Amino acid sequence: MQREVGSLPLAPALRAKLVAAGFQTAQELLETGPCGLSKELGISKEEALEALQVVRQECHGDAARTAGGSGTTRKCTALELLEEEQAQGFIITFCSALDNILGGGVQLTKITEICGAPGVGKTQLCMQLAVDVQIPECFGGVAGEAVFIDTEGSFMVDRVVDIATACVQHCQLIAEAHQEEDHLKALETFSLESILSHIYYFRCRDYIELLAQVYLLPDFLSEHSKVRLVVVDGIAFPFRHDFEDLSLRTRLLNGLAQQLIIIAHDHKSAVVLTNQMTTRIGQNQSTLVPALGESWGHAATVRLIFHWDNSQRADLWRMILEAQRNEDDPSKNSWRRCTNHQVRRSQPYRITLHLMASEMCSLQLSLKMQKILR
C-alpha cells in the first residue's frame, strides 16, 4: 500500500487537495479514515468515503497482481472450478427443506440475500446462522465464528441465548446417541459461553458507519481467521433516507457490493445480507419487491424472498422444527426445545429462492413449508 497519491485514479482536484494536505501514500489515506479525511480536505464525508473506496480497491488490485505475478489473470478449467465449489463448506440452517434447496445450506464464499416484509423472520434466521456456523465439524458444521453488523438495532441477545442453548442440547443428544469420541471431545469446548464469545457484534447507525465498517472488515478478519460468516442486517435501512443524490447512492452501493464479494472470496466466508421490501407501482397493480433497485439485485449469488400466505405473524427460525412430532425418538425433534410452543398445521409458509447465475438469468423456485405460529 505504498502507492503514491498522485498515481491514484482520483479527480485531479482531489489529488491536488491530498498533496497540498501532505498525503503521500495510499496507506496514509486509509489510516486517516473518512471522518479525518473529510476534515483535512474540507470535503463531505460522502466524498471522503467514495475516495477511500477507490483507494482500497486499487490497493487490493495491486496486491492481487503482485501475488499473481507479472499482472496476469489466474487461469483454471471448469473442472477445477467445480472441484473448488464442491470443496467449500455449507452453514446448515437445520431446516432440511431449506438446506436441500440451497444445496446443503448457506454456501461459503458466496453472498446470500434474505428479503421479506417486516416481521417475517429475516433477523431470526441470521441469528440462527450466527450460532450454526460454530457447530463443530464432527457434527457437520464448519467450526467457525461470526461477525454480525446490525444497522436496525434488531439483534436480540436473549434470543441468541435461546438458540445457542438449544444448539448445544441438540449436539449433546447426537453425542449420546452415537457415543463417538470426537463428539464428546468437541462438546468440551462447545458451550453457550463459547458460542456467545465468538459472535462479534458491530452496531452501525448510518450508512457512513456501515461503509467504514465494511471497508475496515478485511483487517479484522485477518486477525480473526476463524470467521466464516459475515451478517449485515439490514443492508437497505441506512440508504433509504437522507439521500438526495441517487447517483452517489448507487456508486456507494456498487462499491459496497464489490467489497463484500472480495471479503467472501478472500476470507472463505459466507456473507448474508437482509433487505427490506418496497412497493413497485405498475399499470394495473402494485407488487412488493426487494429494495435498492434492479442493479442491486445482481449483487447476491442467492436471493431468498420470504412471504406468508396470510397476514398472520410467524417466526422463521421456528420453521427449523420438523412438521411432524416424533415422540418415539426425541433426538429427531431437532430444535423443538428452543420454543415450548405447540406445533400445529396451518396455512403453508412460502419461500421463493432466486439463484442469481448472471445478470441475464435467474432461476426461481418455490418451496411450500409448514408455518409455525406463536
Side-chain angles (χ1 to χ4, degrees), residues 317-318 321 325 335-343:
W317 69 281
R318 293 199 182 99
L321 299 175
R325 281 186 178 271
W335 302 96
R336 186 167 289 107
R337 292 166 190 78
C338 335
T339 66
N340 294 324
H341 289 268
Q342 183 180 6
V343 179

Side-chain angles (χ1 to χ4, degrees), residues 236-352:
F237 183 73
F239 291 96
R240 298 191 71 182
H241 56 85
D242 296 335
F243 258 105
E244 297 180 358
D245 188 350
L246 293 182
S247 63
L248 173 61
R249 188 186 84 158
T250 300
R251 292 197 302 272
L252 292 177
L253 281 171
N254 289 339
L256 179 62
Q258 184 63 32
Q259 180 68 10
L260 291 172
I261 291 171
I262 292 172
I263 288 172
H265 181 270
D266 290 355
H267 297 276
K268 301 295 185 292
S269 299
V271 174
V272 176
L273 316 173
T274 66
N275 194 359
Q276 299 173 347
M277 303 294 282
T278 189
T279 303
R280 175 185 290 169
I281 306 297
Q283 293 183 350
N284 300 321
Q285 63 179 359
S286 60
T287 56
L288 281 177
V289 297
L292 301 180
E294 293 290 340
S295 60
W296 174 260
H298 301 288
T301 310
V302 176
R303 167 175 276 183
L304 292 167
I305 302 179
F306 295 147
H307 312 266
W308 56 70
D309 287 344
N310 292 329
S311 59
Q312 300 177 24
R313 187 181 182 89
D315 284 332
L316 176 64
W317 69 281
R318 293 199 182 99
M319 288 166 48
I320 53 181
L321 299 175
E322 298 296 333
Q324 298 290 338
R325 281 186 178 271
N326 191 326
E327 301 294 350
D328 297 332
D329 187 357
S331 65
K332 292 183 180 179
N333 285 333
S334 194
W335 302 96
R336 186 167 289 107
R337 292 166 190 78
C338 335
T339 66
N340 294 324
H341 289 268
Q342 183 180 6
V343 179
R344 59 190 176 95
R345 291 187 177 276
S346 61
Q347 296 297 320
Y349 194 104
R350 185 171 72 253
I351 293 180
T352 303

Side-chain angles (χ1 to χ4, degrees), residues 21 23 32-45 48:
F23 291 101
T32 302
C35 294
L37 190 62
S38 173
K39 294 179 181 179
E40 289 279 352
L41 303 184
I43 60 177
S44 67
K45 291 182 179 179

Side-chain angles (χ1 to χ4, degrees), residues 37-97:
L37 190 62
S38 173
K39 294 179 181 179
E40 289 279 352
L41 303 184
I43 60 177
S44 67
K45 291 182 179 179
E46 291 85 353
E47 292 173 320
L49 273 171
E50 191 172 1
L52 290 176
Q53 173 183 330
V54 172
V55 172
R56 186 173 289 276
Q57 289 177 348
E58 285 294 311
C59 292
H60 185 274
D62 291 343
R65 286 189 289 271
T66 300
S70 68
T72 59
T73 57
R74 178 197 173 202
K75 296 182 178 64
C76 61
T77 66
L79 178 61
E80 291 172 340
L81 287 176
L82 177 61
E83 291 172 347
E84 287 184 7
E85 289 282 336
Q86 294 175 341
Q88 298 299 333
F90 295 88
I91 303 172
I92 56 177
T93 66
F94 276 97
C95 171
S96 59

Side-chain angles (χ1 to χ4, degrees), residues 110-127:
K110 306 296 182 183
I111 296 181
T112 300
E113 184 181 25
I114 304 171
C115 310
V120 76
K122 303 182 296 293
T123 300
Q124 298 285 342
L125 179 56
C126 289
M127 292 188 293

